């Protein structure tokens, strides 16, 4: 068995649209080592959600995967049939989704939802409930036994996200995918949830693929960071390397735009000018050239190669290759 | 919850009072003096005047309305001017026939329409979905009395599978059930189409919601996701529509009862309007209105039972 729980190799995902194939992910490579936390960062529309959907194989109906491998616990997920895939979901891998207010079924009790997902276990109802109570206690829900009979809307947003985490970790999966789990929460709750995830990860020993556009959260939580832009991975490395020595101009600009890192007072927040390129008809050369401040002649028609900038730090930019 | 019920009942009373007042005005706009019709063409003006006085028709209209409500508080809906029996007795004698008819029709429509809608939603844009769509719309547009006449001709006259008229012998449940089939079909048919479209739309909406994606991300079997996680939400608008649709069902029942010569509230209203038997008209319309108010309240309560979010806001 390899040391990686999840290995994504050369994965592309396209969506069929009226104007042609929208290339949402292109040749993505990603490893999640056992027991580690890998962060994926990028702005909206960069393909983060498509990446998750393709890993759990719940892509929209118009999506197709022209090439790639998604290896999870030494099996290529793209070769599995629906039944085998369903057997992994919520069992060996589970997901905490973005908006806690809408991810739980509003008309079923928490207890019901938490016991329903234990359908694989050959245990009594009381036993499943005991497990649910135990998990709720672990994520810090007070008086969990009496709250099993309550409905999602009777909990606050932070509580709902804790419940989602309890549900996701109930089966003790090998991989937890967290899709912007803190985006809908305020800053105080965000910190609490991050600490909770980190604690649980150490206790349960699972790996986490953590998706966010919040740089602070990624820096706090992740061992390894992957920066995505417009469906491609542009930079990856240890959190320390990426945040302290960003090698790609996009990462650099992202860091400049992080409100937490801005020292000088100003009326307007910094932004990255320009827009994500058209993903149906991709421009030649570097994908970031239209927004890059260091653009060179080569960027216009030569796609930058994936190069090692230092040790475990990789980037695709012409600037590092000169 | 209690406050909610009180509100609903108060609202219901207001609706009933408005409906009755409105009806009172309408009845008096219709040509034809009940006293004259009752006494026949050879009645003298004196006789007509004394009959009008006995029926309270000589009083100003607001007074007549007030008297009606005053009597109503005592549970008195007046006397049938032809048979001289209490209206309450007549109306409540006919009510069970209509209730059974409507109940059978709606259960029949729900049992076919809801699964059909689910099926369509889950097999969106397939041939089966398109066929269901076309058939549903065809069903919706077919008026109850047309369906009643056609089914009468086909199943009762030509094929002779079911009896053509009446409600069956009293006490003989099997006979009454056989008599119920065609009328219930006539009323229920358009509801099959309607419910199928409605459930399809709300099912599609629910299936796209985030919590369904969550349920799938936990590997729950598709059967559980659809019938336990999605349907419970998708059926909420349907419950409301059925509750409000009680009014349409009552009017559909009217035509159907006439076509099949079945006893029932609809037939009673029709007969009493033809004979200008105003106390019976008033009584049966009052009961129908109350029925409508009750059914909308019940559908709201069923929704609250299904959806805890509504429950807490009550």
């Amino acid at each position: 068995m390899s040391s990686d729980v999840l290995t994504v190799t050369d994965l592309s995902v396209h969506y069929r649209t009226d104007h042609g194939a929208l290339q949402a992910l292109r040749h993505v490579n990603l490893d999640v080592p056992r027991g580690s936390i890998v962060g994926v960062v990028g702005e909206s529309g960069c393909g983060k959600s498509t990446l998750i959907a393709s890993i759990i194989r719940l892509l929209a109906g118009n999506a197709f995967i022209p090439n790639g491998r998604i290896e999870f616990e030494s099996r290529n997920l793209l070769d599995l049939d629906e039944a085998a895939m369903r057997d992994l979901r919520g069992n060996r891998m589970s997901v905490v989704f973005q908006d806690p207010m809408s991810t739980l079924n509003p008309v079923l009790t928490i207890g019901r939802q938490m016991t329903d997902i234990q359908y694989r276990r050959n245990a009594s109802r009381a036993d499943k409930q005991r497990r649910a109570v135990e998990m709720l206690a672990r994520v810090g829900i007070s008086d969990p036994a009496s709250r099993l009979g309550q409905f999602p809307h009777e909990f606050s947003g932070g509580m709902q996200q804790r419940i989602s985490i309890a549900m996701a970790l109930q089966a003790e999966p090998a991989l937890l995918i967290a899709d912007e789990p803190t985006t809908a929460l305020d800053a105080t709750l965000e910190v609490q949830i991050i600490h909770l995830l980190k604690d649980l990860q150490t206790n349960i020993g699972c790996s986490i693929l953590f998706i966010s556009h919040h740089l602070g959260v990624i820096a706090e939580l992740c061992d390894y960071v992957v920066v995505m832009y417009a469906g491609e991975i542009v930079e990856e490395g240890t959190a320390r390397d990426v945040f302290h020595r960003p090698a790609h101009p996009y990462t650099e600009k992202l860091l400049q735009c992080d409100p937490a890192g801005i020292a000088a007072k100003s009326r307007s927040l910094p932004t990255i000018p320009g827009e994500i390129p058209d993903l149906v008809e991709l421009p030649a050369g570097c994908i970031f050239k239209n927004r890059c401040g260091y653009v060179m002649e080569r960027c216009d028609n030569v796609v930058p190669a994936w190069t090692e900038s230092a040790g475990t730090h990789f980037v695709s930019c012409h600037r590092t290759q000169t | 919850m209690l406050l909610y019920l009180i509100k609903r009942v108060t609202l219901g009373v207001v609706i009933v009072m408005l409906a009755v007042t409105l009806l009172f005005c309408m009845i008096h706009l219709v040509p034809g003096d009940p006293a004259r019709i009752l006494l026949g063409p050879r009645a003298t003006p004196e006789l007509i005047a004394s009959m009008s006085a006995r029926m309270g028709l000589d009083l100003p209209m607001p007074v007549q309305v007030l008297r009606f409500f005053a009597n109503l508080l005592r549970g008195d809906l007046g006397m049938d001017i032809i048979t001289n029996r209490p209206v309450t007795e007549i109306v409540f004698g006919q009510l069970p026939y209509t209730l059974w008819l409507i109940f059978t029709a709606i259960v029949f429509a729900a049992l076919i329409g809801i699964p059909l809608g689910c099926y369509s939603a889950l097999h969106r844009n397939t041939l089966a979905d398109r066929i269901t769509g076309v058939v549903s719309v065809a069903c919706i547009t077919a008026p109850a009395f047309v369906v009643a006449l056609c089914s009468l001709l086909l199943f009762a006259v030509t094929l002779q599978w079911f009896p053509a008229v009446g409600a069956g012998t009293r006490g003989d449940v099997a006979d009454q059930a056989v008599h119920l089939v065609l009328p219930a079909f006539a009323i229920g048919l358009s509801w099959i189409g309607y419910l199928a479209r409605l459930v399809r739309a709300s099912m599609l909406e629910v299936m796209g919601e985030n919590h369904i994606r969550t349920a799938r991300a936990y590997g729950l079997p598709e059967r559980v996701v659809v019938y336990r996680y999605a349907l419970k939400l998708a059926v909420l608008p349907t419950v409301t529509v059925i509750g409000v649709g009680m009014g349409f069902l009552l009017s559909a029942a009217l035509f159907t009862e006439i076509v099949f010569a079945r006893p029932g509230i609809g037939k009673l209203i029709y007969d009493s309007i033809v004979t200008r038997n105003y106390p019976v008209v008033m009584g049966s319309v009052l009961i129908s209105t109350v029925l409508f108010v009750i059914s909308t309240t019940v559908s709201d309560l069923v929704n609250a039972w299904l959806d805890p979010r509504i429950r807490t806001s009550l």
Side-chain angles (χ1 to χ4, degrees):
Chain A
M1 207 183 243
S2 79
S3 64
D4 293 338
V5 173
L6 179 80
T7 312
V8 177
T9 322
D10 193 32
L11 177 73
S12 298
V13 179
H14 298 182
Y15 290 103
R16 282 181 206 93
T17 68
D18 294 339
H19 319 289
L22 187 139
Q23 305 178 29
L25 283 186
R26 294 177 310 282
H27 309 291
V28 166
N29 292 295
L30 179 78
D31 296 326
V32 180
R34 197 166 293 278
S36 69
I37 306 182
V38 173
V40 176
V41 67
E43 65 195 311
S44 307
C46 72
K48 293 173 294 188
S49 299
T50 301
L51 178 64
I52 296 173
S54 48
I55 295 171
I56 58 172
R57 287 256 315 268
L58 285 175
L59 280 162
N62 62 342
F64 64 101
I65 300 176
N67 53 279
R69 274 177 76 80
I70 301 174
E71 214 166 291
F72 175 73
E73 298 195 304
S74 311
R75 282 199 286 174
N76 184 1
L77 297 185
L78 300 180
D79 291 342
L80 296 182
D81 60 7
E82 180 52 30
M85 195 58 221
R86 198 165 64 76
D87 195 51
L88 290 177
R89 287 186 205 127
N91 188 19
R92 298 301 300 154
M93 59 161 80
S94 44
V95 188
V96 176
F97 287 104
Q98 194 173 75
D99 179 10
M101 312 282 193
S102 68
T103 50
L104 297 168
N105 190 302
V107 295
L108 299 173
T109 61
I110 295 301
R112 171 76 186 275
Q113 297 185 54
M114 289 189 77
T115 49
D116 270 1
I117 60 170
Q118 299 179 51
Y119 72 100
R120 293 186 186 91
R121 283 178 64 207
N122 194 10
S124 70
R125 215 180 124 69
D127 212 33
K128 289 179 181 174
Q129 270 175 350
R130 215 171 302 130
R131 175 80 181 135
V133 169
E134 184 199 328
M135 277 319 291
L136 286 179
R138 280 178 82 168
V139 296
I141 303 265
S142 56
D143 194 14
S146 70
R147 307 210 73 170
L148 279 188
Q150 288 187 309
F151 292 94
H153 72 276
E154 295 172 272
F155 293 87
S156 66
M159 286 291 184
Q160 288 185 18
Q161 196 57 295
R162 283 168 190 267
I163 293 166
S164 296
I165 293 171
M167 284 173 77
L169 292 176
Q170 198 169 232
E172 308 209 336
L175 175 69
L176 175 74
I177 301 172
D179 181 6
E180 308 208 20
T182 57
T183 305
L185 304 176
D186 62 50
T188 335
L189 285 173
E190 186 165 42
V191 175
Q192 288 178 11
I193 295 285
I194 295 303
H195 285 307
L196 178 69
L197 271 177
K198 200 150 196 168
D199 286 350
L200 288 171
Q201 190 258 348
T202 339
N203 288 334
I204 292 172
C206 62
S207 313
I208 300 182
L209 180 62
F210 192 92
I211 315 283
S212 183
H213 61 244
H214 191 157
L215 296 163
V217 170
I218 297 266
E220 174 81 19
L221 187 67
C222 301
D223 312 318
Y224 207 72
V225 182
V226 169
V227 183
M228 279 185 82
Y229 178 73
E232 286 177 11
I233 290 178
V234 293
E235 179 170 2
E236 68 171 74
T238 58
R240 174 179 290 273
D241 281 345
V242 172
F243 286 116
H244 291 288
R245 285 181 296 279
H248 196 279
Y250 176 62
T251 317
E252 212 172 85
K253 293 211 164 182
L254 264 186
L255 289 168
Q256 281 165 11
C257 291
D258 186 15
I262 299 168
K265 229 180 189 176
S266 125
R267 287 181 70 87
S268 58
L269 289 169
T271 54
I272 306 179
E275 276 168 24
I276 289 188
D278 181 8
L279 296 184
V280 176
E281 283 175 52
L282 287 166
C286 174
I287 190 78
F288 190 61
K289 65 182 179 192
N290 62 331
R291 300 170 81 177
C292 183
Y294 311 101
V295 68
M296 301 179 285
E297 205 179 313
R298 234 183 328 157
C299 304
D300 243 350
N301 35 40
V302 183
V303 178
W306 188 238
T307 35
E308 190 179 324
S309 104
T312 52
H313 194 173
F314 294 86
V315 67
S316 69
C317 181
H318 288 307
R319 216 157 51 101
T320 51
Q321 290 154 26
T322 46
Chain B
M1 190 72 183
L2 186 69
L3 189 74
Y4 169 77
L5 271 180
I6 293 170
K7 270 199 289 199
R8 285 308 297 248
V9 170
T10 322
L11 193 68
V13 170
V14 174
I15 291 172
V16 169
M17 284 174 75
L18 275 174
V20 166
T21 316
L22 209 68
L23 189 73
F24 236 95
C25 304
M26 276 161 66
I27 271 183
H28 288 83
L29 289 173
V30 178
D33 179 355
R36 194 183 295 273
I37 285 168
L38 183 66
L39 294 169
R42 281 195 247 162
T44 59
E46 293 78 37
L47 211 54
I48 288 171
S50 79
M51 191 62 191
S52 288
R54 229 184 76 204
M55 289 162 68
L57 293 173
D58 54 340
L59 298 166
M61 226 189 20
V63 181
Q64 284 187 41
V65 177
L66 281 179
R67 256 177 49 162
F68 179 82
F69 285 121
N71 288 337
L72 185 63
L73 285 181
R74 297 199 304 267
D76 177 13
L77 284 172
M79 291 299 200
D80 176 351
I81 55 175
I82 295 168
T83 61
N84 221 15
R85 283 163 59 210
V87 170
T88 40
E89 192 187 305
I90 296 175
V91 172
F92 283 109
Q94 301 292 306
L95 189 61
Y97 292 106
T98 304
L99 286 182
W100 270 113
L101 178 59
I102 289 175
F103 180 72
T104 315
I106 208 71
V107 168
F108 157 71
L111 284 182
I112 300 179
I114 294 176
L116 212 58
C118 282
Y119 180 85
S120 282
L122 299 178
H123 301 85
R124 179 150 81 144
N125 294 338
T126 58
L127 185 67
D129 174 33
R130 297 212 172 116
I131 293 174
T132 317
V134 172
V135 173
S136 300
V137 174
C139 287
I140 297 169
T141 46
F145 64 91
V146 174
V147 181
L149 282 171
C150 292
S151 57
L152 184 72
L153 276 175
L154 182 63
F155 296 112
V157 178
T158 312
L159 296 171
Q160 304 206 334
W161 289 353
F162 297 103
V165 293
T169 327
R170 230 172 227 261
D172 184 349
V173 179
D175 190 38
Q176 284 181 324
V178 170
H179 277 84
L180 205 56
V181 174
L182 286 185
F185 173 74
I187 297 177
L189 188 65
S190 63
W191 279 86
I192 294 179
Y194 195 29
L195 293 183
R197 296 312 289 169
L198 192 70
V199 170
R200 178 184 186 270
S202 48
M203 196 70 182
L204 281 178
E205 195 189 313
V206 173
M207 290 305 281
E209 281 173 16
N210 283 345
H211 55 85
I212 295 298
R213 182 189 57 185
T214 310
R216 287 202 171 125
Y218 281 106
L220 286 175
E222 196 60 14
R223 184 174 33 85
V224 175
V225 173
V226 172
Y227 294 103
R228 275 201 268 163
Y229 279 61
L231 189 59
K232 204 179 168 195
L233 272 159
V235 89
L236 293 173
T238 310
V239 173
T240 312
V241 165
I242 291 179
V244 178
M246 200 66 177
F248 297 100
L249 282 165
L250 281 165
S251 61
L254 189 146
F255 292 116
T256 313
E257 284 167 2
I258 296 166
V259 171
F260 289 98
R262 265 180 74 87
I265 291 280
K267 184 97 181 5
L268 186 68
I269 294 179
Y270 171 74
D271 288 343
S272 49
I273 289 176
V274 169
T275 56
R276 300 288 185 278
N277 196 343
Y278 290 160
V280 178
V281 177
M282 295 302 301
S284 27
V285 170
L286 179 78
I287 296 300
S288 311
T289 317
V290 171
L291 218 58
F292 176 72
V293 169
I294 290 176
S295 72
T296 49
T297 311
V298 167
S299 77
D300 281 0
L301 290 177
V302 170
N303 264 350
W305 171 66
L306 288 172
D307 189 345
R309 291 167 301 178
I310 302 177
R311 216 177 302 158
T312 33
S313 68
L314 290 188

